[in-house]
Amino acid sequence: MRATMIYGTRDIRVEDRPDPDVLLPGDAVVRVTAACVCGSDLWPYRGVREITEAKPIGHEFVGVVEAVGADVTAVKVRDFVVAPWAISCGECPPCRNGVQVACEHRAAWGATDEHGLPVDGGQSERVRVPMANGTLVPVPGVTEPDAALTKSLLTLSDVMGTGHHAALAAGVGPGRSVVVVGDGAVGLCGVLAAKRLGAERIIAMSRHEDRAAIARQFGATDVVAVRGKEAAETVRGLLGGVLADSVLECVGTHESMDQALRCTRPGGSLGFVGVPAGGSDLPIGTLFSKNISVGGGAASTRHYLPELLADVLSGAINPGLVFDSVMPLEDAAEAYKAMDERRATKVMLVPAAAAR
Amino acid sequence: MRATMIYGTRDIRVEDRPDPDVLLPGDAVVRVTAACVCGSDLWPYRGVREITEAKPIGHEFVGVVEAVGADVTAVKVRDFVVAPWAISCGECPPCRNGVQVACEHRAAWGATDEHGLPVDGGQSERVRVPMANGTLVPVPGVTEPDAALTKSLLTLSDVMGTGHHAALAAGVGPGRSVVVVGDGAVGLCGVLAAKRLGAERIIAMSRHEDRAAIARQFGATDVVAVRGKEAAETVRGLLGGVLADSVLECVGTHESMDQALRCTRPGGSLGFVGVPAGGSDLPIGTLFSKNISVGGGAASTRHYLPELLADVLSGAINPGLVFDSVMPLEDAAEAYKAMDERRATKVMLVPAAAAR
């Protein structure tokens, strides 16, 4: 099969790799119909996280189940499934608590499972899925989603669930004022999640008109283009002299966290889901004196999938709009480049077999 | 009048100071009947926070209103009142949000108000109270509380409200498992607050039998004497293989925060109220990967006072048990010494006039 590999900084290659098999009774093999590049894939791409040896990459995909092991009951061959970005057993205490990202048997796409067996990356034609019962979510009544539905389903793998996680962690609800820092796919999904949870006032921070337009479509009532202190003062002005009740930090840098904290009112909540890329920290003195609560972290999108899937299938939300580009899997290197250069917000990659 | 001053590291003196007056229409003057030493008073006492010039000290007191300015409507002369540790206007957005510690006009005991006028320390015979309407809480139907009631009322100034704040920030509620790190007065009040909020399992961390006994009296189901990693493993054992849902950090050191984080389950909540004394930090990577939410900070005890006061007056809670020592105000230096050396958990100071 064809699979995307990362060899080092800005070195992405699509190569031939062995087709995966069911290796354990809990495994499934999924034929990928669509995958995508995550903002967090850009950290190793940019060299922020060092790559010491070539490895398969990609952790967001949807597709069709081609084979299952003897213990797999949650999905069956020919099911259309969404794969969350984290592999989880579904049975250990963290999984039962809805915190699948802390699964005691957690494995990662593009690495190995707890038995040392290889797990393919998501930006591939096929993927071996360990612990398929805990991990995969079948899409009821759907076998061949069209492009628009595929895009929205694909967001449930990561970005829409992550935006929702940020909104929950920030205590978003009816009547709350919300600021979203970050206009990447997660930030945009955070806007959509805040709207879905009933927020009245949603201030998106963006200086890209295309992204701001999607933010508005998703429910942003205001868009702020300035940054840092000035951004906080603009928010204060928009909210009648107070800062925001709920702030979503969807980037992961020192600057974005600083801006998010500046926008949070005393006693407010900050949901942070930007993968800390080094440099971002939580200033304990500020949190202490301003009574700012902080939560979030890696999103257990598996936990949110059933609820968000229902809203996608009903048409209540259309998070797939965050995809502004579709490319063949073979062009993965260009997809990374386009996202790195911010020419694309989010790129969907389609394997040749699925495109036919 | 007699008032306690801090001159520098381990240098506490009780001196003659001018009696306070009503200086502004919003002021009250309170005759202190009982004050106390706070764990956070020990930071400057120990030199952790440098004292550059002698200043009045103390921020927890109860007493009788002796005089009020023309604008004071919330209390009247002869009312018995509790003074929260933070002075607040009660009308600005943070105050209306219940975050009085971030009051836009905030003043501090033993310092000056926003107009530069002096505010006495709480460990004094009398105190000028700015913004009395927002700050003071009268105790209905009580003019001369006995010693036991005085102690419980005095905890509402700070430690009981702070323990309650930690418990709320840690998401304590029915069915939750709770760990309390810190066996000072705040930690013990955290145990009581957790019990009051319906927690089933409350694990107090203490290696002092006297304090552990109070913790048990307040509702602790278990007491753990070991620390660090070992403490977390003991908690895991007590809770059937999982860590705690809610952890209260009531100390403020690097070690206590580390221990608190180690005891929190993935997806759990940590309420931190220990004044960060330097060294304590929030490791963003751990919070991110374990989905630990963190909140708390300086407690707006003014906000919690009405609710907790009702429970003290009804006898539902008896937080005054944290006071294991009562001394004349004149012995303030000895009170600090006893708490610094951990010979006393919490010392109540009684001015001579009130003791008569």
Side-chain angles (χ1 to χ4, degrees), chain A residues 182-202:
Chain A
D183 63 358
V186 170
L188 295 172
C189 286
V191 170
L192 182 57
K195 177 71 178 175
R196 181 178 172 276
L197 291 167
E200 274 175 25
R201 194 74 181 264
I202 304 171

Side-chain angles (χ1 to χ4, degrees), chain A residues 64-112:
Chain A
V64 177
V65 177
E66 282 200 329
V68 294
D71 292 349
V72 175
T73 54
V75 297
K76 57 185 190 306
V77 172
R78 280 188 290 278
D79 275 356
F80 192 88
V81 294
V82 180
W85 71 266
I87 302 167
S88 58
C89 75
E91 293 173 2
C92 68
C95 280
R96 287 201 308 271
N97 283 327
V99 192
Q100 284 90 341
V101 297
C103 173
E104 293 176 359
H105 307 283
R106 184 177 165 189
W109 309 114
T112 52

Side-chain angles (χ1 to χ4, degrees), chain A residues 299-325:
Chain A
S300 295
T301 56
R302 175 62 184 84
H303 182 59
Y304 304 129
L305 243 160
E307 175 187 355
L308 297 175
L309 176 58
D311 273 16
V312 163
L313 293 176
S314 77
I317 57 172
N318 186 14
L321 293 175
V322 297
F323 287 102
D324 54 355
S325 178

Side-chain angles (χ1 to χ4, degrees), chain B residues 65-354:
Chain B
V65 176
E66 282 199 331
V68 293
D71 291 350
V72 176
T73 53
V75 298
K76 57 186 190 302
V77 172
R78 280 188 291 280
D79 275 355
F80 192 87
V81 294
V82 180
W85 71 268
I87 301 168
S88 57
C89 75
E91 292 173 2
C92 69
C95 281
R96 287 201 308 270
N97 282 327
V99 193
Q100 283 89 341
V101 297
C103 172
E104 293 175 359
H105 307 283
R106 185 177 164 187
W109 308 113
T112 52
D113 64 19
E114 64 174 342
H115 307 286
L117 298 169
V119 181
D120 308 280
Q123 294 157 13
S124 303
E125 287 188 315
R126 282 181 179 73
V127 178
R128 171 185 165 247
V129 179
M131 304 186 289
N133 285 336
T135 303
L136 295 175
V137 176
V139 182
V142 169
T143 47
E144 286 189 48
D146 64 17
L149 180 56
T150 297
K151 288 176 181 172
S152 281
L153 293 174
L154 188 51
T155 67
L156 302 183
S157 182
D158 187 342
V159 291
M160 182 60 208
T162 296
H164 179 66
H165 185 58
L168 289 181
V172 173
R176 297 271 290 193
S177 57
V178 179
V179 162
V180 180
V181 177
D183 62 359
V186 171
L188 295 172
C189 287
V191 170
L192 182 57
K195 177 73 178 174
R196 179 178 172 276
L197 290 167
E200 274 175 22
R201 196 71 182 266
I202 304 171
I203 302 171
M205 302 222 154
S206 178
R207 35 178 72 182
H208 292 256
E209 198 33 60
D210 292 355
R211 296 175 183 214
I214 298 174
R216 286 196 192 86
Q217 205 169 342
F218 278 175
T221 52
D222 306 85
V223 174
V224 169
V226 291
R227 292 193 181 166
K229 265 191 194 175
E230 209 183 339
E233 286 317 306
T234 305
V235 166
R236 194 192 292 276
L238 287 170
L239 297 179
V242 294
L243 295 167
D245 299 320
S246 300
V247 176
L248 283 60
E249 195 290 308
C250 304
V251 182
T253 63
H254 175 77
E255 291 71 22
S256 60
M257 181 61 86
D258 178 69
Q259 182 163 321
L261 284 167
R262 285 180 189 279
C263 292
T264 313
R265 72 158 168 87
S269 299
L270 188 150
F272 80 107
V273 294
V275 180
S280 64
D281 59 0
L282 295 168
I284 194 167
T286 303
L287 301 184
F288 190 88
S289 61
K290 284 186 73 183
N291 270 219
I292 295 175
S293 297
V294 173
S300 295
T301 57
R302 174 64 184 81
H303 181 60
Y304 305 129
L305 242 160
E307 176 187 353
L308 297 174
L309 176 58
D311 274 16
V312 162
L313 293 176
S314 77
I317 56 173
N318 187 13
L321 292 175
V322 297
F323 286 101
D324 53 357
S325 177
V326 179
M327 299 184 191
L329 177 63
E330 293 297 323
D331 294 350
E334 168 55 20
Y336 276 77
K337 198 156 183 285
M339 281 181 60
D340 179 39
E341 294 168 1
R342 289 176 74 86
R343 286 183 280 115
T345 303
K346 187 128 180 116
V347 183
M348 184 160 87
L349 293 171
V350 181

